[in-house]
Amino acid sequence: MGNCWLYFGVILLSCQVVRSQRVRVLPEVEAYPNESVDLRCQFANPGSTKLTQVSWIFEATEGQRENIAVFHPVYGESFPTSAFRGRVQFTQPSLEYPSIRINNVKMSDAGRYTCEYATYPSGNEQGTTTLIMLAKPKNSAAAVTVQAGSAKVVVARCEALQGKPAATITWLAGGGGEYNSTSQMESDGTVTVKSEYRMAPASADNGRDISCVITQRTQDRPQTFTMKLAVQYAPTVRIEGYDENWYVGRTDALLTCHTDANPKVLNVTWTTVSGNLPPTVRVDQNRLLVQKVDESVNTTFVCEAKNSLGSGKSQLTASVIELTVDPSSAGVLVGAILGSLLALLLACALITVLVIRSRRHQPSYSGDNEQGNYSHKARLFGVKKASKNGTGANNNGPIYTYRESEPGALVEKGNEFPHAPSGIMAPHHIPLTCELDEAGQRKFDSLNDSMEEEEEEEEQYDSFGGLPTSYHIPRHEDSYGVYLDDDMESQRDGSIISRTAIYV
């Protein structure tokens, strides 16, 4: 029996669903305030069902129903007294298409609208449309001016006023801050959302960017507000320009007082730890000009800046040093040194060139793979006796000399040896050995023997590293006796000299 009642209920519910599906409406409609909205309704496939009347019922909240429009095929249209009177109308006054239009919609018009048919014999059939009222919020954001400190305070605010549905606010910021948002329902059904960002502001945060992002259904994209934090703080001061080279007499020394503050610095003052400034300095706003460095500026300077929140100061101790080199003559001294070095280098280069050229043009003598240079010495060309027996070549031939002062000249000279003894006869006055008598021959042989001994001593010295063998005069014998080979040799300057020439 219980199962039978269950089956009967399912059948009734199914029939109700089929009947409700014949009333066709839109399930949901969106509208903005002050616009017009159409609510469509149609009874599909009535068949044998007789349509007697259609009504529109507004339900703001669950269980509160209110007729706003009625159509009867005989009695026509009817609009009961309600908040919609004068703003609602049928678009096509008929039972088949009883759609209505609501003009100048308000936020309070949001709710459920039911199109209900009175039929015979089926009874009432209906369809419900939900009207969703949308409102674009009025968005704004601003930074809050705060003072630097350690406590967290509100530094920026972001708001989305009277929006529907409620907006969502997020923040893009660093620095360890936090935010919270609140929502408030307005009387017209809109929602106001507010958000605040809190942090412990520092002077370094002044001017830093912070952004809030507002997202809401009626917006095509999220709206971003970027602002700069406004943090106020007392001045911070630093002094620059001291190079630790304040020597006595310097005239271009300068100190600058740099300040950082919010709000703006009102004034900057210069003093010293002892009080008044030295007479050789001059103040130009935030600059301290030292007209001439002397012992009076060997002190500690103090710069102080003030604004509406307070003051800040900084100090610098200057040390005056003695100048060991006059800076005005330093450039001249350096230039003189460089000039002297350059002149010395040029002189050395010139001397080197001259020496090289002189050596290239100086005549040279080569004999048996050895070279020699001629000075202003005379060279003699002649023959000596080669044996002790008194036979040999004639020693009384002409003697030739060569001098560099007389290039290319080979002349016969007489007794012109500068250091020759006065008792020695000239070569052309010496008699031949064949013309001497017996006494003279013995005297000549004795002199010749002494010369031979000297010659042997010279040859012994030469054999121990003295003159090379090329200087030893070769001897030749023929029917005329012993003679010497002069072995004449051509020179670069066109002259000829003998290898057996002797320096005197």
Side-chain angles (χ1 to χ4, degrees):
M1 188 67 179
N3 292 334
C4 291
W5 283 109
L6 179 60
Y7 292 148
F8 181 72
V10 171
I11 293 173
L12 290 178
L13 181 60
S14 299
C15 294
Q16 181 68 26
V17 170
V18 171
R19 287 197 300 269
S20 63
Q21 288 179 349
R22 292 196 296 177
V23 180
R24 296 180 178 178
V25 295
L26 295 175
E28 192 175 274
V29 175
E30 295 179 353
Y32 290 94
N34 303 320
E35 294 182 348
S36 298
V37 60
D38 291 342
L39 303 180
R40 298 177 182 179
C41 183
Q42 178 186 7
F43 196 97
N45 300 321
S48 59
T49 302
K50 184 177 181 180
L51 305 178
T52 58
Q53 180 176 299
V54 61
S55 302
W56 280 93
I57 302 170
F58 172 63
E59 189 175 359
T61 57
E62 188 70 26
Q64 295 182 354
R65 297 167 60 90
E66 180 181 11
N67 285 333
I68 60 173
V70 178
F71 179 78
H72 191 275
V74 178
Y75 300 106
E77 302 174 352
S78 175
F79 302 100
T81 301
S82 67
F84 295 91
R85 189 180 181 90
R87 298 188 296 122
V88 62
Q89 64 185 34
F90 285 97
T91 57
Q92 293 182 358
S94 65
L95 291 178
E96 290 79 9
Y97 299 100
S99 299
I100 62 173
R101 174 175 298 164
I102 302 175
N103 298 316
N104 194 22
V105 294
K106 302 177 181 178
M107 295 302 301
S108 57
D109 294 341
R112 300 175 62 187
Y113 291 82
T114 302
C115 178
E116 186 175 87
Y117 276 91
T119 67
Y120 181 82
S122 301
N124 294 341
E125 294 188 27
Q126 62 187 22
T128 302
T129 298
T130 301
L131 176 61
I132 299 175
M133 292 300 300
L134 301 177
K136 293 182 178 181
K138 301 174 183 179
N139 301 330
S140 63
V144 180
T145 301
V146 296
Q147 294 185 13
S150 57
K152 289 188 175 183
V153 295
V154 176
V155 297
R157 290 190 175 95
C158 196
E159 298 178 340
L161 304 178
Q162 297 177 338
K164 192 174 181 180
T168 301
I169 300 178
T170 57
W171 290 86
L172 301 176
E178 59 186 24
Y179 68 92
N180 65 308
S181 301
T182 58
S183 299
Q184 179 181 350
M185 184 68 68
E186 304 293 342
S187 59
D188 59 357
T190 59
V191 181
T192 295
V193 180
K194 295 182 180 181
S195 183
E196 296 178 337
Y197 192 88
R198 296 173 177 270
M199 62 178 294
S203 58
D205 295 323
N206 184 50
R208 184 165 61 85
D209 288 341
I210 186 172
S211 302
C212 76
V213 182
I214 299 177
T215 305
Q216 205 260 356
R217 181 177 177 178
T218 62
Q219 299 175 172
D220 295 337
R221 64 182 61 88
Q223 187 174 7
T224 302
F225 292 89
T226 301
M227 63 208 90
K228 293 186 178 297
L229 296 178
V231 181
Q232 294 184 338
Y233 51 93
T236 57
V237 182
R238 71 181 187 280
I239 300 176
E240 294 183 354
Y242 180 63
D243 57 3
E244 299 182 358
N245 190 30
W246 283 21
Y247 52 83
V248 176
R250 179 175 174 178
T251 59
D252 60 346
L254 172 68
L255 296 180
T256 303
C257 183
H258 293 278
T259 61
D260 181 22
N262 185 29
K264 185 179 178 180
V265 171
L266 299 177
N267 65 327
V268 176
T269 58
W270 285 92
T271 58
T272 63
V273 291
S274 59
N276 297 329
L277 292 173
T280 57
V281 302
R282 180 171 60 88
V283 176
D284 181 14
Q285 296 181 357
N286 67 324
R287 300 189 304 168
L288 186 70
L289 308 176
V290 181
Q291 297 173 334
K292 187 174 183 181
V293 175
D294 55 16
E295 290 299 329
S296 64
V297 298
N298 193 42
T299 185
T300 299
F301 294 95
V302 179
C303 175
E304 183 177 11
K306 296 181 179 180
N307 68 354
S308 59
L309 296 181
S311 64
K313 63 177 59 179
S314 178
Q315 64 183 31
L316 182 143
T317 301
S319 298
V320 177
I321 61 177
E322 294 291 337
L323 182 63
T324 57
V325 178
D326 186 2
S328 61
S329 61
V332 177
L333 179 60
V334 172
I337 294 174
L338 294 179
S340 300
L341 291 176
L342 181 60
L344 181 59
L345 291 176
L346 291 176
C348 292
L350 181 59
I351 292 173
T352 302
V353 171
L354 292 177
V355 170
I356 293 175
R357 294 188 59 184
S358 175
R359 289 181 177 179
R360 287 181 178 177
H361 290 80
Q362 188 174 15
S364 61
Y365 167 77
S366 61
D368 292 346
N369 299 328
E370 291 187 10
Q371 293 182 351
N373 294 330
Y374 290 100
S375 63
H376 295 287
K377 297 179 181 180
R379 299 199 65 185
L380 278 70
F381 301 88
V383 296
K384 293 194 297 182
K385 185 177 178 63
S387 64
K388 298 180 181 181
N389 55 10
T391 63
N394 188 355
N395 292 317
N396 296 327
I399 298 176
Y400 295 89
T401 63
Y402 170 83
R403 297 182 183 276
E404 289 183 349
S405 60
E406 300 174 355
L410 287 173
V411 297
E412 180 182 352
K413 296 295 181 178
N415 187 15
E416 295 180 2
F417 294 89
H419 301 291
S422 61
I424 299 176
M425 293 184 297
H428 60 277
H429 292 157
I430 299 175
L432 299 176
T433 56
C434 60
E435 299 176 351
L436 295 176
D437 56 3
E438 184 178 358
Q441 184 69 34
R442 286 194 300 269
K443 184 176 180 180
F444 180 81
D445 291 340
S446 176
L447 177 61
N448 190 35
D449 291 339
S450 63
M451 292 177 64
E452 289 290 333
E453 291 176 358
E454 292 177 359
E455 183 176 343
E456 291 176 357
E457 290 177 359
E458 290 177 357
E459 290 177 356
Q460 183 178 5
Y461 174 78
D462 291 343
S463 65
F464 286 95
L467 295 173
T469 57
S470 61
Y471 284 89
H472 295 192
I473 303 173
R475 292 175 173 83
H476 302 272
E477 290 190 18
D478 59 5
S479 58
Y480 295 95
V482 180
Y483 69 93
L484 301 179
D485 186 0
D486 286 329
D487 193 15
M488 303 301 288
E489 183 176 79
S490 299
Q491 302 299 306
R492 295 181 180 177
D493 58 358
S495 62
I496 56 174
I497 62 175
S498 173
R499 294 183 182 181
T500 59
I502 303 301
Y503 284 98
V504 297

